[in-house]
Structures are given as structure tokens and as C-alpha cells.
Amino acid sequence: MLNTETMKIEDNPSKDKWKKLCERPQLELEYLDSSVRNILARVKKSGDEALVEFTKQFDQVELAELQVTKKEIAEAIKFIPSTLKSAIETATKNIEKFHQAQKRETLEVETMPGIMCWRKSVAIDKVGIYIPGGSAPLFSTVLMLGIPAKLAGCSEVILCTPPSKEGKVNAAILYAASITGITKIFKVGGAQAIAALAYGTKSIPAVYKIFGPGNQFVTKAKQLVNQEGTAIDMPAGPSEVLVIADEFADPSFLAADLLSQAEHGADSQVVLVTNSKKIIEQTSIELNTQIEKLPRKEIARQALNNSLSILFDSEVDMMGFVNEYAPEHLIINTKNCEQLAATVINAGSIFLGSYSPESVGDYAAGTNHTLPTNGFAKAYSGVSLDSFIKYITIQKLTQQGLNNIGSAVEEMAEAEQLKAHAEAIRIRMSNPKN
Amino acid sequence: MLNTETMKIEDNPSKDKWKKLCERPQLELEYLDSSVRNILARVKKSGDEALVEFTKQFDQVELAELQVTKKEIAEAIKFIPSTLKSAIETATKNIEKFHQAQKRETLEVETMPGIMCWRKSVAIDKVGIYIPGGSAPLFSTVLMLGIPAKLAGCSEVILCTPPSKEGKVNAAILYAASITGITKIFKVGGAQAIAALAYGTKSIPAVYKIFGPGNQFVTKAKQLVNQEGTAIDMPAGPSEVLVIADEFADPSFLAADLLSQAEHGADSQVVLVTNSKKIIEQTSIELNTQIEKLPRKEIARQALNNSLSILFDSEVDMMGFVNEYAPEHLIINTKNCEQLAATVINAGSIFLGSYSPESVGDYAAGTNHTLPTNGFAKAYSGVSLDSFIKYITIQKLTQQGLNNIGSAVEEMAEAEQLKAHAEAIRIRMSNPKN
């Protein structure tokens, strides 16, 4: 018998319902804003002292030293199994390969004779990476942020992550940090870590841009320091996957993919979109079987309660809905997957065919797993090498170049009633230096 | 005699003073936040009705129709002088050339045998451009935003700009819009325009990203809708220029460049950095002479009061200060300008040598004039083709590809305690579909 609690089913929903169906579950706590503002203000005022206090309060450990020592790193790494080390190395190589390919040469264009325009890329000098603690130590995110930071050439990369009750940082996080060349690692988590990275303290240098996932406190803190001028990677929301399947897809693969998203958190959202009623039924059966084997089945079950199966007879409507939803992860498990992918305009990352589960992209295929959630894929890209770079434009005109463009500039400046702009041209043309 | 009121002079300031010297003048109004929130809420609730009311209140004109008609555009364009038309066409060609060169092919990398990773660029489907009204009609900004939007292939480009008291939009703005292919132009300004672009009304479609400059109300509104999920081009602040000069620079050119920034607004900031006391003195004399000829001299004078001349004997200190200041516009008018430019890591756009005044970049050289102010150049780039594009990553694994990477993914997923992620691999490897 089908467990109807798992996923809600929609049968060819009309377009006026799409907006509502695309809404993500929201869990914002009422006191969030004021408590995060309070944390930020205290770290701004008292620096390391506040960090030690908050760590005692939230992580139940009193630290004498915030920075992880070289000795701690060396000792922790000893205990990493060699199979995990080699898996991390494989992932690292692929991530490096894909992100290295994103490098761009300096652009050089002579727009008119004597008018040279360049664009050079320069690394953001100082960046911060936040890695959450808790039950699932996200060392893969250390790779996803640390590797492009290193390739970009950021001169200072600071990592903050909350310590365990024993005052330690997970060994795999330290290993991933060390192989990406991150040496400044601090045992600070939550909104207080974001405050430290934004304002700087005696121990922790201030950075210009903060990356990384986190709970609602971290997300709110990133939003607030962003308003004050520190850049952030992107707006955040709970993780999500949308799977498109046709009758040729294997329901056991579909269920496994939906569950691998659902286990992330109770607020994760998973959506199955298909033209086959049978696929919905069979996937539901598979979900109920497979979920029982998962240690995080309670979390997954809650996530499934927020989730949807949608039947679309029309392929145009189906892709219209997908682009309206703008999923963070989009799995297209259909015979014509490449054809459908060509019509996708809003998605973070796309996984094509039967053998491309989301988990390969989460860990090791080479693409970045830091992606826009919550419909932000309509305007935002995932993290890439560019996220750690700024482009600076440069222009150099010869005297002849200025002669070629001067009258156009004067004309436009006068029309905008900015006479001094025109004068900066005239004074050079009437009184050349050489 | 020198007018000592013009620019403050600092002689080799020590490093501990730099942060203070880099602070930009701030004029935030106390009631700003609440009045902008009120405007946003009213537009969200009442749509076009609220827009008409606010336009009556702020622009002193009662509009029957918000959208500029084709007839209005055609009639306005008739009165544009042919010299201005041809200047705008020259600028357009150069801007197109430089932004077209920023296009990127789809990236394609086989990270391991059977693991194909792509990255394709897709235009942001719907974008909004805000152009302020007032005394200086910024049609050049229409080009700077409209041209890359068109090259990127954005399918909907909406322009909002406040009407005059006669209910009209400046003819040059309409002309610039029409040659960049923008057809949906609305007579709405201020925070209410930003609200309309973010939420949509009956007349004005909602967009995913909003571009363009504006006063404090517009800036605050962009910041607030950004928190709610609409992307924006970049955080904004008053315009600024930093000029580096050596003894070989012509003081009349330096003064003209400083004034062309100072005339923008009373809160503009201009900074002269040099190793020559004589250059400071002579530039000051030139400033006092040239300012008298300007129609906007009162504005320029106020801006100069916020401004600085700094003497640095050490070139290393000089460039250290420049990178700490992170100017929006950086003019390097020295003999060794290219050598100095190579050491710049934080700037929006750089102008090299004697014949590259900022005004060529403002209008027509081809580079974009929408640049990070207020030190944001430490983490942000100026507007480019990329600002109108998202990158979507795609991966497709063959069965063999999954076999090659599967165990690494399983290993990492288990170590992160995300068992369902590992199961999505296992179920495919133990039970291949074909």
C-alpha cells in the first residue's frame, strides 16, 4: 500500500498555481534578527573575548586559544583512513581541473585606433570560509571553496568552524583544509564567526568576502554584514532537488536521489516532475522501502512532507514549471535528457541521464556544489573561480586616440550637463602635453 | 594665493591613519529606512495605483498612463541633434565591442574518463534598469546597462525613470533606450520604481535583477528588495576618483579630472596622491581657476571640501594606500603608469597616462562606467556582460564514469554521515540499468 504521507501529488497544475507550488518552506524564527544583531554588536565591540564567551555558551567549551595549531592539524590528520584520503585526493583533482579551466586571460580590445581597453582579473585579497559543525562534518565544502580560492590566488584564506565539546575540529575538515593550503583555521562557529570574519578581531583577520553554508543564524549574520559592506557568496536557503523523469527511468534510482536530498535537513525540498503516473507510484513505493535503511530517516521523512510529485502531460508546461521553480539541483533522468537540458534557463546545476546522481556533483565530479537555492538560480550562478576574483578594467588612450573620441565625449557630457567632464577633454585637446 | 579650503593636505600619513583617511563621507538620513519600507509596502499592496500616487507626490505630475508610448518615443527622438546622435552611436559601437569580447564559450571538461562537466551561460531572463531623473539626464547609463543586457540576450529589459513635471521622459534617454532595443519604458522614479521592478504591478513586470544608480531612497530600496530575493548590480555609494600623479603630470589636466568627479555631487570624493609637493600646489591653483567656469561650481566646491591631497615619498606606501582606498576610478598620470597599474589589486577602473581622462570611460571608450564605489572594489567588479548572465553547470556520467568515481563518492558521503548520498551511488552500481 502506498504511504500517502510521503509526497503530495499534483496532476497537471494550471499555470496560476505554479507560483504557489514553487514556494519553499520557510522557518524564520521571530527572535532571529535581534539575537544575531546582538551577537554581531558584541563581537564588534569585544572581539576575541566575545568569541570565547559565545563559544562557551553555544558550543559548551572554553577555549584558551581560538586558532587551530599546526600540531593539532598534524595529529588529527594521522587518523584519517587512507581510503578517505585517496577519495579526497580524487575529488580534489577533478575540482581543480574544472575550476582551473574557468581561468580567463586578460581581455585586450582596441575599440578605436589609439583607444586600448583591457580587463584583468585579480584575486579578492582576503576571503573567509565558514564550515558548519554538527553531526555531518562538511569537509567537502572545504574543498569546494578552498580549491577555487587557491586557484584564484587569494592571499589570505581564513576558515572558521565550530569546535566540538572537546574543543576539537573534525579531522577530515582539517585534512581538506591542509590540502587546499588553508592554514589559518579558527574554532569559532555561528553568527559570531561571521562577525569575526567581517569586523576582524585580534586573532582573526577581517576579510572582504565570506563564503559557506550555515544555519539560520549564520545566514542572517551573512545578510547583515553584507548590508554593511562585506561581500558574501550568495543568498542562502535550504537545499533542494528537482528530478525530471520519464517512463524509462528506474524508480529505485529516482527514490535514491530524492532521499539523498531529503536527508540533508527537515527543511530540504524534493520535487519529482514526470509525465508518467506509473513513475510516481513506483517511486513512492521505492521511497518507502529505501527510507527505512537510512540512519537519518526521521529527517528525510520530514523533508518528504514538504515535497511534491507533479504530473505534466505537456513537455512545454513541464519545462515551464521547472524554469519557474529554478531548482538548485536538477536531475533529468529521461531518454531525451540533453534535449530538455537545452531548454533549462534557471537552475544551479544539472545532472543528466541515469548515471549522474546528485551525489557525484556534491563530492567529486569536479563541478561546484555551492549553488543558488530558493529560486535564486533565476539571477545567481553557483560558486566558481569567478566568485574569488574581481575584474578591473583599464584604458589607455594615445593623444590620437583622444582626438578620435574627444568630440563624442564632449557632446555627450554637455548633453548630460556635466561640463567639467567635457572640460577634461578640451583642456587636453587644446593644450597637448607633448 | 592658495585657497586652502579646497582640499585637505596630508603629508606621508602613517599606516595607522589610512583606515580613517579611506572613510567616505556618509549622509544617511535617519528616516530613510522607514520611509522606503513604507513606499515598498504600498507598491506591493496597491501596485499601479500607488505608483501614480507617489509620482504625483514626488514628481508633481499626475499620469494617466505609466508606460511611454511608441509615439512619444518617436516624437522625442526627432529633436535629438544629429551631432549627439552620432556621438551616442560612436559610444555604442565601442561599448558593444568591449562587452562582446567578454562572451564565453560553453566550457567542457572531461574530468575523468566518462565524467563530462560543462558550464553554459544563460541570460538572466528579466532585468530592470533604473535611470535617475533630475538635472543631469544619464542617458549614458542607459547605454552602459542596455548594451550588455542586449548582448547577453535578456528576454525582458524594463526601464524605469522619473518623469518631468510635464510628464515627459528626457529625449536622449528615450533615444539611448531605443537604440539598445529597450521598448518597455515606464515613467516611475525613486523607491517606488524599485518596488515595481521587484514585485511587479499590473503595468510593470517583475524582474529578477535590478541595475542602475540612484539617490539614497533608490539605493535603500535596492538594498531592501535584495534582502527579499531580487538580485541587484552592486552596493552603491557616491562616485569618487583617486588620481596618482608625479612631477611630469600637467596640473591643469589633474585639476580638470578632479573637477569632473567633483561636479557629480556634493558627496563625491576626489583624492590626489602624489610624490610631489609642487604638483599639489600647482593643482590647487588650477582647481581654483577652473572651478570658476563651471555651472555646477557650488556642487564641486562642496565635494572638494570632503577631499584630500596626499603626499607619499615611498611608492610602496603610495600603492599600499591606493589598494586600501580601493577607488572606483583610478587615474594614474605618471611616467611609469603601467608599472604602477600592475600593482593595483583594488580598483573599479584604471585610466593610464596623460590622455585617458575619466570622462572617456564614463561615456565612450568602451569600458563600463557602472563601477564599485565606497571601497567595494575590494570584493566587487564593475558591471560587465557577466552581470546579465548566470552560469549553469552540467554533468553527465556514463556507467563507466560512475564506476570510476563511485567509490570515492561513497567514501566521502559515509564520512560526512550522509548515507543516502552513498546509496544513490550503490543502487546504480549494484543494479545497472542497461
Side-chain angles (χ1 to χ4, degrees):
Chain A
M1 202 193 98
L2 293 186
N3 179 350
T4 50
E5 278 184 331
T6 50
M7 290 174 87
K8 284 178 278 294
I9 299 175
E10 290 279 337
D11 188 346
N12 286 287
S14 61
K15 273 194 190 167
D16 56 331
K17 278 188 169 177
W18 289 5
K19 203 175 166 184
K20 184 83 190 150
L21 289 173
C22 289
E23 279 175 11
R24 309 325 199 240
Q26 292 229 347
L27 299 171
E28 176 153 325
L29 307 167
E30 221 173 87
Y31 59 88
L32 189 65
D33 191 85
S34 62
S35 51
V36 172
R37 281 180 198 273
N38 175 43
I39 293 170
L40 297 186
R42 278 178 61 190
V43 174
K44 197 172 196 172
K45 194 179 162 216
S46 313
D48 287 343
E49 199 186 302
L51 296 179
V52 169
E53 270 172 40
F54 284 126
T55 305
K56 191 175 165 189
Q57 183 183 340
F58 296 123
D59 305 300
Q60 282 93 50
V61 56
E62 203 162 350
L63 297 174
E65 189 62 62
L66 293 171
Q67 187 163 1
V68 179
T69 62
K70 279 186 190 171
K71 199 178 150 203
E72 280 180 279
I73 298 172
E75 286 191 355
I77 289 176
K78 278 189 210 156
F79 297 98
I80 310 257
S82 64
T83 46
L84 180 58
K85 276 190 186 171
S86 99
I88 290 177
E89 275 153 31
T90 300
T92 299
K93 272 185 205 154
N94 289 345
I95 299 165
E96 277 176 354
K97 223 180 256 183
F98 191 64
H99 289 75
Q100 178 69 29
Q102 295 166 17
K103 281 208 175 174
R104 302 176 84 165
E105 297 296 311
T106 295
L107 188 73
E108 193 177 332
V109 181
E110 188 167 11
T111 53
M112 284 173 90
I115 304 182
M116 286 305 310
C117 298
W118 295 268
R119 195 172 70 151
K120 71 168 179 175
S121 66
V122 182
I124 299 176
D125 202 36
K126 299 172 187 183
V127 300
I129 296 176
Y130 182 76
I131 302 293
S135 58
L138 301 181
F139 60 85
S140 60
T141 305
V142 179
L143 302 180
M144 293 293 176
L145 300 174
I147 292 170
K150 187 184 178 185
L151 290 174
C154 301
S155 73
E156 188 134 78
V157 185
I158 311 292
L159 193 152
C160 286
T161 189
S164 68
K165 282 183 194 170
E166 294 73 38
K168 296 199 169 173
V169 170
N170 175 278
I173 288 180
L174 295 179
Y175 180 68
S178 74
I179 68 167
T180 58
I182 301 171
T183 51
K184 291 192 178 169
I185 305 168
F186 296 91
K187 297 171 184 172
V188 187
Q192 60 274 23
I194 304 304
L197 291 169
Y199 308 134
T201 68
K202 204 176 166 197
S203 315
I204 304 182
V207 300
Y208 304 142
K209 189 168 184 177
I210 299 173
F211 295 80
N215 63 16
Q216 289 186 299
F217 289 85
V218 169
T219 298
K220 175 57 82 177
K222 281 173 70 184
Q223 204 177 54
L224 292 173
V225 301
N226 184 224
Q227 280 175 260
E228 294 172 359
T230 305
I232 61 171
D233 45 1
M234 67 184 80
S239 195
E240 65 205 20
V241 71
L242 188 151
V243 178
I244 302 176
D246 63 10
E247 54 181 323
F248 304 104
D250 186 325
S252 73
F253 296 4
L254 301 176
D257 291 342
L258 295 170
L259 287 171
S260 75
Q261 188 59 52
E263 76 171 340
H264 267 299
D267 54 359
S268 287
Q269 201 182 29
V270 307
V271 181
L272 174 64
V273 170
T274 178
N275 57 5
S276 159
K277 213 166 210 160
K278 205 171 145 199
I279 280 287
I280 293 183
E281 289 164 6
Q282 292 177 334
T283 305
S284 184
I285 295 169
E286 278 289 337
L287 279 172
N288 286 314
T289 315
Q290 291 184 27
I291 199 170
E292 294 305 329
K293 288 183 271 175
L294 298 179
R296 295 165 72 93
K297 65 184 162 196
E298 283 318 313
I299 291 173
R301 215 184 293 279
Q302 287 174 59
L304 289 182
N305 283 336
N306 293 326
S307 299
L308 276 176
S309 290
I310 311 181
L311 195 69
F312 276 113
D313 294 330
S314 144
E315 196 172 279
V316 171
D317 279 353
M318 181 172 77
M319 296 313 293
F321 178 82
V322 169
N323 282 319
E324 180 61 33
Y325 188 88
E328 180 192 12
H329 303 100
L330 172 60
I331 297 176
I332 310 185
N333 193 339
T334 68
K335 268 217 162 160
N336 64 346
C337 59
E338 307 214 11
Q339 201 179 310
L340 293 183
T343 70
V344 174
I345 59 169
N346 298 323
S349 193
I350 308 176
F351 300 77
L352 292 180
S354 289
Y355 294 101
S356 310
E358 187 200 309
S359 44
V360 299
D362 287 343
Y363 290 109
T367 55
N368 207 290
H369 79 193
T370 306
L371 296 166
T373 56
N374 201 26
F376 294 126
K378 287 175 175 170
Y380 293 88
S381 311
V383 161
S384 71
L385 191 67
D386 276 353
S387 310
F388 295 86
I389 276 173
K390 307 152 302 165
Y391 289 100
I392 302 178
T393 54
I394 306 169
Q395 44 261 293
K396 185 174 189 183
L397 281 71
T398 61
Q399 196 177 336
Q400 187 54 47
L402 189 66
N403 280 335
N404 291 340
I405 194 81
S407 61
V409 175
E410 282 179 61
E411 190 73 39
M412 292 173 75
E414 292 282 357
E416 286 194 353
Q417 295 167 39
L418 294 172
K419 191 176 155 71
H421 283 62
E423 287 298 333
I425 306 291
R426 273 183 211 127
I427 204 162
R428 285 167 163 91
M429 292 175 73
S430 63
N431 173 31
K433 211 177 121 57
N434 308 308
Chain B
M1 203 193 95
L2 295 186
N3 179 349
T4 50
E5 279 185 332
T6 49
M7 291 173 86
K8 282 177 279 294
I9 300 175
E10 289 279 339
D11 189 346
N12 287 287
S14 60
K15 274 193 187 166
D16 57 330
K17 279 186 166 179
W18 290 7
K19 203 174 168 186
K20 185 82 192 152
L21 289 174
C22 288
E23 279 175 11
R24 308 330 197 236
Q26 292 229 348
L27 299 170
E28 176 152 327
L29 306 167
E30 222 174 87
Y31 59 87
L32 189 66
D33 190 85
S34 62
S35 51
V36 172
R37 281 180 198 271
N38 174 44
I39 293 170
L40 297 186
R42 279 178 62 189
V43 174
K44 196 170 196 174
K45 193 179 163 213
S46 314
D48 287 345
E49 200 186 303
L51 296 179
V52 169
E53 270 172 40
F54 283 124
T55 306
K56 192 175 165 190
Q57 183 183 339
F58 296 122
D59 306 300
Q60 282 93 51
V61 59
E62 203 161 351
L63 298 175
E65 190 61 62
L66 292 171
Q67 188 164 0
V68 179
T69 63
K70 279 185 189 171
K71 200 177 149 203
E72 279 179 281
I73 297 171
E75 286 190 355
I77 288 175
K78 277 188 211 156
F79 296 98
I80 309 258
S82 64
T83 46
L84 180 57
K85 276 190 185 169
S86 97
I88 288 177
E89 277 154 30
T90 300
T92 299
K93 274 186 205 153
N94 290 346
I95 298 165
E96 277 175 355
K97 222 179 260 182
F98 190 64
H99 288 75
Q100 178 69 32
Q102 294 165 18
K103 280 208 177 174
R104 301 175 88 165
E105 297 298 311
T106 295
L107 188 73
E108 194 178 330
V109 181
E110 188 168 10
T111 52
M112 282 174 92
I115 306 181
M116 287 303 312
C117 299
W118 294 268
R119 196 172 69 152
K120 72 169 179 176
S121 65
V122 182
I124 299 175
D125 203 37
K126 300 172 187 183
V127 299
I129 295 177
Y130 182 77
I131 302 292
S135 57
L138 301 182
F139 60 84
S140 60
T141 304
V142 179
L143 302 180
M144 293 293 176
L145 300 174
I147 291 169
K150 188 184 178 186
L151 291 174
C154 302
S155 73
E156 188 134 78
V157 184
I158 311 291
L159 192 150
C160 286
T161 189
S164 68
K165 282 182 192 170
E166 295 74 38
K168 296 199 168 173
V169 169
N170 176 278
I173 288 179
L174 295 178
Y175 180 68
S178 74
I179 67 167
T180 59
I182 302 171
T183 52
K184 291 192 177 169
I185 305 168
F186 296 92
K187 297 170 184 172
V188 187
Q192 59 274 22
I194 303 305
L197 291 169
Y199 308 135
T201 69
K202 204 175 167 197
S203 315
I204 305 182
V207 300
Y208 303 142
K209 189 169 183 177
I210 300 173
F211 295 80
N215 62 18
Q216 289 186 300
F217 289 86
V218 169
T219 297
K220 176 57 83 176
K222 282 173 69 185
Q223 203 177 55
L224 291 173
V225 301
N226 184 222
Q227 281 175 258
E228 295 171 359
T230 305
I232 62 171
D233 46 1
M234 68 184 80
S239 195
E240 65 204 19
V241 70
L242 188 151
V243 179
I244 302 176
D246 63 10
E247 56 181 320
F248 304 103
D250 185 324
S252 74
F253 297 4
L254 301 176
D257 291 341
L258 295 170
L259 286 169
S260 74
Q261 188 58 55
E263 76 170 342
H264 268 298
D267 54 0
S268 287
Q269 200 183 30
V270 307
V271 181
L272 173 64
V273 169
T274 178
N275 58 3
S276 156
K277 213 165 211 164
K278 206 172 144 196
I279 280 288
I280 294 184
E281 288 164 7
Q282 292 177 335
T283 306
S284 183
I285 296 169
E286 277 290 336
L287 279 171
N288 286 314
T289 314
Q290 292 184 26
I291 200 170
E292 293 305 328
K293 289 182 269 174
L294 297 178
R296 295 167 72 94
K297 65 184 162 198
E298 283 318 315
I299 291 173
R301 214 183 295 281
Q302 288 173 59
L304 289 182
N305 283 335
N306 293 326
S307 300
L308 276 176
S309 290
I310 310 182
L311 195 68
F312 276 113
D313 294 329
S314 143
E315 198 172 277
V316 171
D317 278 352
M318 181 171 78
M319 296 314 293
F321 178 83
V322 168
N323 282 320
E324 179 61 34
Y325 188 88
E328 179 192 12
H329 303 98
L330 171 61
I331 298 176
I332 310 185
N333 194 339
T334 66
K335 269 216 162 161
N336 64 345
C337 59
E338 307 215 10
Q339 199 180 313
L340 292 184
T343 69
V344 174
I345 58 169
N346 298 322
S349 193
I350 308 175
F351 301 77
L352 292 180
S354 290
Y355 293 102
S356 309
E358 187 199 308
S359 44
V360 299
D362 286 343
Y363 290 110
T367 55
N368 207 291
H369 79 194
T370 306
L371 296 166
T373 56
N374 202 25
F376 294 127
K378 286 176 177 170
Y380 293 88
S381 311
V383 162
S384 71
L385 191 67
D386 276 352
S387 310
F388 296 87
I389 276 173
K390 306 152 302 163
Y391 290 99
I392 301 179
T393 53
I394 306 169
Q395 44 263 292
K396 186 174 189 184
L397 280 71
T398 61
Q399 197 178 336
Q400 188 54 47
L402 188 66
N403 280 336
N404 290 339
I405 194 81
S407 60
V409 174
E410 281 180 63
E411 189 74 40
M412 291 173 75
E414 292 283 356
E416 287 195 353
Q417 296 167 37
L418 294 171
K419 190 176 156 74
H421 282 63
E423 287 298 333
I425 305 293
R426 275 184 209 126
I427 204 161
R428 287 167 162 91
M429 291 176 72
S430 62
N431 173 32
K433 211 177 121 54
N434 308 307

